[in-house]
């Protein structure tokens, strides 16, 4: 059984979860388990076939979607705000943080995401394990060439190499500061956006796009797309599971790379496309049968409360302050 | 290839939303005209397909696996404009649902993955496929080439967006404020992986899937070819405008080659005093009104360049800024014309007594 996402979460396990975890490898059972294993450098296991990899990715996606739905349903700090206020706050914060060029405020924003997540039912360790290895680690790795003297000259901090002509390759102070600032910026925005999105129900988040002026047609397409994503995922999972169950696992035999397997994957993609085409026709006919046309009717959004307006205002103030400080 | 938040400066990611606005509007107009009420479920399922297809692991000789985007395949089947909208939905879903790509970079990611990949890949496919039948090998090969070209151009776009950051946004001491890697690093780093590895996976999947569709459902391939109304007439002018934008650095190169110098008095009133620029027309003093008003308004892209020309002093930097300014200008003009066109050319509302 996957661990509960929060210590205070007063809700039972999802009934669909034990079935999924019974078939899935341990790394695909829960986001926490995956994060723990990723932090340890990944589980040790034999090389997986393309079928197993696709199945694991599908399960991981479904697990993440279920996990997000569960977190969004838990009472907490960020859950208590209206989705529109959170969306405005999130956009203002993202734009504001991308305008900040000093490491200290970015580090502060990054650290503040942890108590906000904690009070919203997301364990800080989970947020750290879920976001930071990718953002802090990957960004630092990607931007590392920019820390050396060839790309960013400046005061040397660490000498990496001395060439025959006496020239040196160093890690420079301005280079390292630039990498640190970039990593902190990427991580702080990602941490806050993850916390905000995990605590917002998907349908509410899409409805909230209305407050940003996103056309109703786009919102409906995105909502339908999200719903049918799971149908198509299930279709792909069934096909891959069927083939995997029919494939003998002989020791010493290569399990991927054959021309027949490549043809099979391409044919599955083609068949998925045909199925999506067919499903769109069925959905259209169903919509017609119910009298739905292009006109999109949405529920009247709830009135803004003082706390929602406060959060949106806080976002605007942070945006203005960040832009002013960044100039 | 998804750019996260923080790698692009506000000027770049804001501009990319402006650049994508006419593309979304044009795509919406084509899809609305062709599909009418069917557009919502059609685009929704195409978006869901684009999302799911990225989870397929494609076996590679040697036992490894790789992923493809399926963007060109979606364009071949649904048409480039429907694919542009569907892939835009996918990019938004990936940013909001999976944290794949930044929220502020949705415009930039849509440009590279939802516009450049399907449109360029589809154009290459149509060019190479010609009028051959649906099940022909040539059509599958054309689809594979479209997948390869579309993905690589998309990677090049991303590399340019990242590599332009040190030129576009920097501190007073020249330190880059966003992605610190210059074009000389981002372009080879991105293109090596895509030309040697990812591009071939995309090509194989696109080609094999089109071959499969050609055998099993050739009528589906005909659907994408029927949805090209925007390309039917204005393709040539758009291509010409794009070519002109790419040729704008000639405006820097030719004066340097011919020694013609700058335009008389255009850059600064001080040029009027400079005999090297003004020649025999040089004046001893510039009218105070000209001096006072000069530089009051420089615009977001002064002199069609970067806000600070000191860092972008190289010819390459200036040229990149010229091309960027050209595309931003084209997008802005297209947006204004589109909005005015919608306002001015909209049919008059019919009253109850109108016949």
């Amino acid at each position: 059984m996957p661990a509960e996402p929060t210590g205070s979460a007063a809700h039972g396990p999802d009934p669909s979860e034990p079935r999924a975890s019974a078939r899935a490898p341990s790394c695909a059972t829960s986001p926490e388990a995956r994060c723990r294993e990723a932090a340890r450098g990944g589980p040790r296991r034999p090389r997986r076939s393309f079928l197993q990899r696709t199945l694991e990715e599908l399960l991981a996606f479904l697990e993440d979607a279920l996990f997000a739905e569960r977190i969004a349903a838990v009472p907490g700090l960020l859950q208590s705000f209206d989705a529109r206020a959170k969306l405005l706050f999130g956009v203002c914060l993202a734009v504001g943080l991308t305008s900040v060029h000093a490491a200290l405020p970015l580090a502060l924003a990054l650290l503040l995401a942890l108590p906000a997540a904690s009070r919203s039912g997301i364990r800080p360790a989970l947020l750290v394990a879920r976001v930071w290895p990718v953002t802090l680690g990957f960004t630092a790795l990607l931007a590392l060439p920019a820390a050396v003297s060839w790309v960013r000259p400046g005061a040397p901090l660490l000498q990496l190499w001395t060439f025959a002509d006496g020239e040196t390759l160093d890690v420079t102070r301005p280079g390292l500061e630039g990498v640190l600032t970039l990593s902190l910026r990427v991580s702080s925005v990602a941490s806050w956006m993850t916390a905000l999105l995990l605590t917002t129900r998907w349908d509410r988040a899409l409805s909230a796009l209305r407050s940003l002026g996103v056309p109703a047609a786009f919102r409906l397409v995105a909502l339908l797309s999200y719903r049918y994503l799971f149908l198509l995922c299930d279709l792909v999972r069934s096909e891959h599971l069927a083939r995997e169950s029919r494939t003998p696992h002989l020791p010493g035999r290569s399990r991927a790379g054959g021309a027949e397997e490549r043809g099979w994957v391409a044919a599955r993609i083609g068949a998925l496309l045909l199925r999506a085409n067919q499903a769109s026709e069925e959905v259209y006919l169903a919509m017609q049968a119910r009298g739905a046309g292009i006109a999109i009717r949405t529920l009247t959004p709830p009135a803004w409360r003082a706390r929602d307006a406060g959060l949106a205002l806080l976002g605007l103030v942070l945006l203005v302050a960040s832009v002013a400080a960044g100039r | 290839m998804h750019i996260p938040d923080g790698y692009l400066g506000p000027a770049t990611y804001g501009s990319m939303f402006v650049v994508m606005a006419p593309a979304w509007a044009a795509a919406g107009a084509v899809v609305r005209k062709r599909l009418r009420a069917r557009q919502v479920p059609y685009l929704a399922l195409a978006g869901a397909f684009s999302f799911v297809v990225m989870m397929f692991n494609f076996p590679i000789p040697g036992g490894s696996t790789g992923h493809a985007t399926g963007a060109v395949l979606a364009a071949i089947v649904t048409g480039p404009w429907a694919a542009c909208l569907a892939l835009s939905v996918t990019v938004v879903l990936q940013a909001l649902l999976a944290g794949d790509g930044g929220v502020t970079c949705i415009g930039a990611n849509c440009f590279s993955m939802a516009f450049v990949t399907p449109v360029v890949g589809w154009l290459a496919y149509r060019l190479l496929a010609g009028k051959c039948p649906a099940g022909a090998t040539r059509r599958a090969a054309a689809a594979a080439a479209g997948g390869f070209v579309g993905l690589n151009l998309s990677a090049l776009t991303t590399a340019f967006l990242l590599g332009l950051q040190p030129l576009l946004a920097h501190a007073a001491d020249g330190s880059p404020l966003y992605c610190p890697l210059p074009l000389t690093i981002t372009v080879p780093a991105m293109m090596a992986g895509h030309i040697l590895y990812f591009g071939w996976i995309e090509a194989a999947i696109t080609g094999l899937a089109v071959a499969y569709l050609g055998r099993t459902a050739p009528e589906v391939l005909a659907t994408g070819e029927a949805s090209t109304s925007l390309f039917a007439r204005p393709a040539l002018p758009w291509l010409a405008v794009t070519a002109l934008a790419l040729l704008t650095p000639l405006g820097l190169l030719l004066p340097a080659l011919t020694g013609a110098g700058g335009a008389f008095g255009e850059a600064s009133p001080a040029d009027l005093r400079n005999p090297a620029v003004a020649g025999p027309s040089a004046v001893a003093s510039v009218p105070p009104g000209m001096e006072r008003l000069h530089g009051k308004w420089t615009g977001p892209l002064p002199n069609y360049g970067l806000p600070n020309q000191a860092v972008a002093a190289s010819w390459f930097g200036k040229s990149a800024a010229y091309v960027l300014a050209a595309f931003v200008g084209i997008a802005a003009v297209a947006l204004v014309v589109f909005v005015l066109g919608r306002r001015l050319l909209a049919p008059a509302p019919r009253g109850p007594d109108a016949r």
Side-chain angles (χ1 to χ4, degrees):
Chain A
M1 279 289 294
E4 283 293 309
T6 64
S8 60
H11 60 281
D14 192 295
S16 66
E17 208 162 35
R19 285 205 306 271
S21 56
R23 283 194 298 268
S26 63
C27 72
T29 50
S30 81
E32 279 190 323
R34 284 202 306 279
C35 292
R36 278 199 300 273
E37 288 182 349
R40 287 200 303 266
R44 288 182 184 174
R45 54 188 166 186
R47 181 179 245 180
R48 296 153 295 151
S49 69
F50 71 97
L51 295 167
Q52 288 169 335
R53 288 184 193 198
T54 304
L55 283 169
E56 280 179 20
E57 284 181 25
L58 286 165
L59 278 170
F61 167 71
L62 296 174
E63 276 284 332
D64 281 346
L66 281 174
F67 175 70
E69 287 288 330
R70 249 177 13 202
I71 289 287
V74 172
L77 174 70
L78 292 175
Q79 289 90 337
S80 66
F81 292 104
D82 186 89
R84 291 166 297 174
K86 277 192 279 187
L87 185 70
L88 285 173
F89 176 74
V91 170
C92 287
L93 194 69
V95 175
L97 287 175
T98 54
S99 307
V100 174
H101 308 305
L104 195 63
L106 290 171
L108 191 66
L110 179 62
L111 292 177
L112 278 175
L114 299 180
S118 175
R119 293 197 60 193
S120 308
I122 308 167
R123 283 185 194 160
L126 174 67
L127 189 71
V128 168
R130 193 181 169 104
V131 178
W132 291 15
V134 180
T135 54
L136 267 176
F138 181 72
T139 303
L141 196 67
L142 190 81
L144 217 50
V148 299
S149 51
W150 282 354
V151 179
R152 189 83 201 98
L157 282 180
L158 175 69
Q159 189 171 317
L160 296 176
W161 194 260
T162 306
F163 295 93
D165 59 357
E167 194 189 343
T168 58
L169 179 68
D170 308 301
V171 174
T172 64
R173 188 184 182 85
L176 206 59
E177 282 173 356
V179 172
L180 179 71
T181 307
L182 180 72
S183 305
L184 285 172
R185 185 189 297 122
V186 174
S187 302
S188 55
V189 178
S191 299
W192 273 102
M193 293 313 290
T194 303
L196 287 169
L197 291 170
L198 276 178
T199 54
T200 310
R201 285 178 62 92
W202 180 243
D203 52 343
R204 303 262 166 82
L206 279 178
S207 302
L209 287 175
R210 184 183 186 178
S211 58
L212 288 183
V214 175
F218 180 88
R219 284 183 278 126
L220 186 64
V221 167
L223 195 62
L224 271 178
S225 204
Y226 179 72
R227 295 259 171 93
Y228 284 92
L229 197 56
F230 296 98
L231 177 81
L232 298 188
C233 275
D234 194 48
L235 188 72
V236 175
R237 190 189 61 82
S238 305
E239 288 174 336
H240 278 70
L241 205 59
R243 181 171 169 121
E244 171 71 1
S245 62
R246 292 197 302 269
T247 306
H249 293 185
L250 300 176
R253 180 171 172 252
S254 170
R255 302 194 53 218
E260 188 272 331
E261 287 159 331
R262 282 191 286 279
W264 185 84
V265 172
R268 288 312 93 213
I269 291 174
L272 183 72
L273 196 56
L274 293 177
R275 181 72 188 91
N277 243 347
Q278 186 193 344
S280 78
E281 198 64 27
E282 289 166 3
V283 172
Y284 169 66
L285 292 174
M287 285 169 73
Q288 260 199 337
R290 288 169 175 80
I294 299 178
I296 294 156
R297 284 172 292 178
T298 52
L299 293 173
T300 308
W304 281 72
R305 296 166 300 169
R307 59 186 293 120
D308 300 327
L311 185 70
L313 193 64
L314 177 66
L316 285 171
V317 169
L318 287 174
L319 171 64
V320 172
S322 306
V323 171
R327 279 182 177 275
Chain B
M1 210 148 53
H2 295 78
I3 305 174
D5 287 312
Y7 278 70
L8 301 182
T12 310
Y13 66 67
S15 301
M16 294 319 293
F17 279 105
V18 174
V19 168
M20 272 310 287
W24 281 323
V30 171
V31 171
R32 208 162 30 243
K33 187 177 170 188
R34 187 170 70 91
L35 293 171
R36 297 184 184 278
R38 278 167 206 262
Q39 62 177 311
V40 168
Y42 190 74
L43 292 177
L45 267 298
F49 164 79
S50 304
F51 195 107
V52 175
V53 86
M54 293 183 200
M55 293 187 207
F56 274 88
N57 277 270
F58 188 70
I60 294 168
S64 184
T65 60
H67 289 272
T69 65
V72 178
L73 178 63
I76 289 170
V77 172
T78 66
W81 300 111
C84 175
L85 290 182
L87 287 161
S88 298
V89 170
T90 306
V91 169
V92 172
L93 285 178
Q94 284 172 331
L96 298 182
L97 192 63
D100 208 0
V103 173
T104 56
C105 298
I106 282 175
N109 285 329
C110 281
F111 180 71
S112 67
M113 288 184 286
F115 181 72
V116 171
T117 313
V119 170
V120 172
W122 181 88
L123 282 172
Y125 161 74
R126 286 301 306 270
L127 192 70
L128 296 173
K131 295 190 182 299
C132 65
T137 310
R138 179 180 162 187
R139 190 170 283 269
F148 187 84
V149 171
L151 189 77
N152 276 291
L153 225 66
S154 170
L156 188 64
T157 309
T158 304
F160 261 96
L161 288 173
L162 292 172
L164 279 175
Q165 296 312 300
L167 297 173
L168 291 169
H170 47 80
D173 64 349
S175 310
L177 297 175
Y178 297 97
C179 178
L181 304 173
L183 284 166
T184 49
I185 292 180
T186 57
V187 172
M190 283 288 283
M191 295 319 293
H194 283 82
I195 287 178
L196 298 174
Y197 186 75
F198 299 113
W200 295 105
I201 297 175
E202 189 74 32
I205 284 188
T206 312
L208 289 171
V210 166
Y212 170 83
L213 291 172
R215 281 200 312 273
T216 56
E219 72 283 356
V220 172
L221 292 179
T223 314
E225 292 177 15
S227 61
T228 58
S229 53
L230 204 64
F231 279 120
R233 278 172 292 130
L236 200 59
W238 278 112
L239 286 176
V241 167
T242 306
L244 283 175
L246 293 173
L247 288 174
T248 49
L250 282 177
L252 293 168
L253 185 65
L254 291 179
L257 288 177
T258 58
F264 173 74
E266 185 185 274
S268 163
D271 288 351
L272 296 172
R273 284 194 297 262
N274 186 356
V277 177
S281 306
V283 294
S285 65
V286 178
M290 282 182 77
E291 291 274 23
R292 197 177 68 248
L293 293 176
H294 173 68
K296 289 285 183 197
W297 168 251
T298 55
L301 294 167
N303 295 327
Y304 309 103
L306 304 171
N308 189 337
Q309 289 282 338
V311 171
S314 67
W315 186 84
F316 189 75
K318 283 180 183 173
S319 302
Y322 253 51
V323 174
L324 179 73
F327 278 114
V328 169
I330 290 167
V333 169
L335 182 66
V336 170
V337 169
F338 176 77
V339 171
L340 285 178
R342 288 287 294 264
R343 291 272 173 203
L344 300 177
L345 302 178
R350 294 169 72 94
D353 55 343
R355 289 181 181 276

